[in-house]
Amino acid sequence: MRILHLIESLGLGGAERRLYNDVTRLQGQFEQTIVYLFSDEALAESLRSRGIPTVGLNLRGLADIRAFTRVWRVVRDLRPDLIHTQLFGADCYGRLVGRCLGVPVISTAQSSVYEDPEPFHVSSKRRWLDRLTATTCLRQVVAVSEFVKQSVKRQLRVPPSKIQVIPNAVDPAPYEHVDAQRVAALRQALEIPSDVHVLMTVGKLLPPKGHRYGLEAMAQRRGTTPKWYWILVGDGVGRPDVEAEVERLGLQESVRLLGMRQDIPELLALCDLFVFPST
């Protein structure tokens, strides 16, 4: 069976990590190819080294006029038995092309992006297109949680019979045996004070991740004991807003933004508490 996985990018986000885990664990059971729309390809080389083909379409954006044609061509050339899509752009183009070429499509829904209290995608046109392609082109939806399932049912009007919940998973192996000396050296290199407890958040800097609520909590704790030091790992379009909030609240001495990192097991090992104030 030939499966074409279509996703917006192969960066270091949660959807990309899930796809990486799924594809590498299904290797040998199916003939798989990953096609990604944009040039962010941090995971591409690792996938290729494992013998999993990847194809980048190098689109300039979701509205790139070449998008539909390029997706059409790669699906036509690879002739998959199934198209599996993740994230909005890949979902819409993959669903439409699959419908036109008679290839069944399954989409994985990673989050409830249209929900309150803080909808990330507020465009009514975007939701309309997502809903149209979901209700007319999809064989099945995989939701990563029961809440996401209910959101897909409510926002995209997909019947419950077409939605299956399969939670995200994390490979525990990299986190089970972390070198204590490397952790100590990392703490020293990051110049983390010895008299503080370390909080950590790993994730894209986007409004729904709720970083501002963590910053407000940090501001309320200022001057109390014990002292807390918050490390934010990740990047995204919300970084300027997070940086501005750090400055506004006067938290420059107790909050660090490290950007994208590859040493997550060591970073987690040096922290005392993992915090994820997602909305």
Side-chain angles (χ1 to χ4, degrees):
M1 183 178 182
R2 294 186 301 274
I3 302 176
L4 187 155
H5 300 277
L6 185 66
I7 193 166
E8 288 189 357
S9 78
L10 285 177
L12 298 177
E16 296 86 349
R17 287 286 190 185
R18 170 167 179 142
L19 180 61
Y20 182 94
N21 288 339
D22 289 348
V23 169
T24 53
R25 282 156 181 75
L26 291 171
Q27 194 171 8
Q29 301 180 49
F30 305 100
E31 182 181 327
Q32 302 178 98
T33 301
I34 298 179
V35 179
Y36 52 103
L37 303 184
F38 310 127
S39 58
D40 188 357
E41 52 181 14
L43 296 174
E45 183 57 38
S46 179
L47 286 162
R48 288 193 287 266
S49 70
R50 289 171 172 258
I52 299 170
T54 67
V55 179
L57 300 185
N58 296 310
L59 299 178
R60 291 189 291 265
L62 290 176
D64 192 324
I65 60 174
R66 306 168 297 170
F68 183 85
T69 302
R70 290 193 175 184
V71 174
W72 174 292
R73 287 175 178 169
V74 75
V75 172
R76 180 198 61 191
D77 293 344
L78 294 174
R79 300 173 60 193
D81 300 300
L82 176 70
I83 298 172
H84 168 230
T85 71
Q86 291 191 78
L87 303 178
F88 174 77
D91 286 341
C92 292
Y93 288 120
R95 293 167 188 170
L96 290 170
V97 169
R99 178 66 181 268
C100 292
L101 294 179
V103 182
V105 181
I106 292 175
S107 292
T108 293
Q110 280 286 337
S111 59
S112 49
V113 293
Y114 302 112
E115 296 287 349
D116 291 331
E118 187 166 4
F120 181 40
H121 299 305
V122 296
S123 167
S124 58
K125 292 180 180 178
R126 184 184 183 114
R127 178 161 45 184
W128 176 85
L129 184 57
D130 203 353
R131 179 184 297 166
L132 176 66
T133 56
T135 54
T136 60
C137 305
L138 271 180
R139 179 72 60 86
Q140 191 84 14
V141 175
V142 173
V144 303
S145 70
E146 184 62 34
F147 183 77
V148 172
K149 175 182 177 178
Q150 295 304 319
S151 179
V152 169
K153 173 186 171 183
R154 179 168 49 250
Q155 299 291 344
L156 302 185
R157 298 178 184 172
V158 175
S161 60
K162 287 190 173 184
I163 309 173
Q164 181 177 1
V165 176
I166 304 177
N168 281 336
V170 174
D171 181 1
Y175 306 91
E176 292 175 337
H177 304 288
V178 180
D179 188 301
Q181 290 184 338
R182 292 179 62 184
V183 174
L186 179 60
R187 180 166 185 144
Q188 185 176 7
L190 292 174
E191 299 180 343
I192 298 174
S194 59
D195 62 340
V196 300
H197 292 296
V198 182
L199 306 173
M200 187 170 299
T201 299
V202 182
K204 289 183 178 179
L205 299 183
L206 300 173
K209 301 300 184 183
H211 293 95
R212 74 170 184 271
Y213 301 115
L215 294 174
E216 291 171 0
M218 287 287 290
Q220 293 176 19
R221 292 286 303 171
R222 183 168 37 216
T224 63
T225 303
K227 297 179 181 178
W228 290 98
Y229 192 92
W230 191 16
I231 294 176
L232 306 182
V233 180
D235 215 336
V237 297
R239 179 167 186 142
D241 294 334
V242 173
E243 292 175 335
E245 191 71 358
V246 169
E247 185 173 354
R248 185 184 73 82
L249 294 172
L251 296 173
Q252 297 92 329
E253 298 300 318
S254 54
V255 177
R256 288 278 300 280
L257 279 71
L258 298 188
M260 304 297 289
R261 302 281 297 205
Q262 297 287 353
D263 52 351
I264 302 301
E266 289 78 14
L267 285 167
L268 287 174
L270 71 78
C271 79
D272 299 290
L273 187 67
F274 182 82
V275 180
F276 200 58
S278 169
T279 62

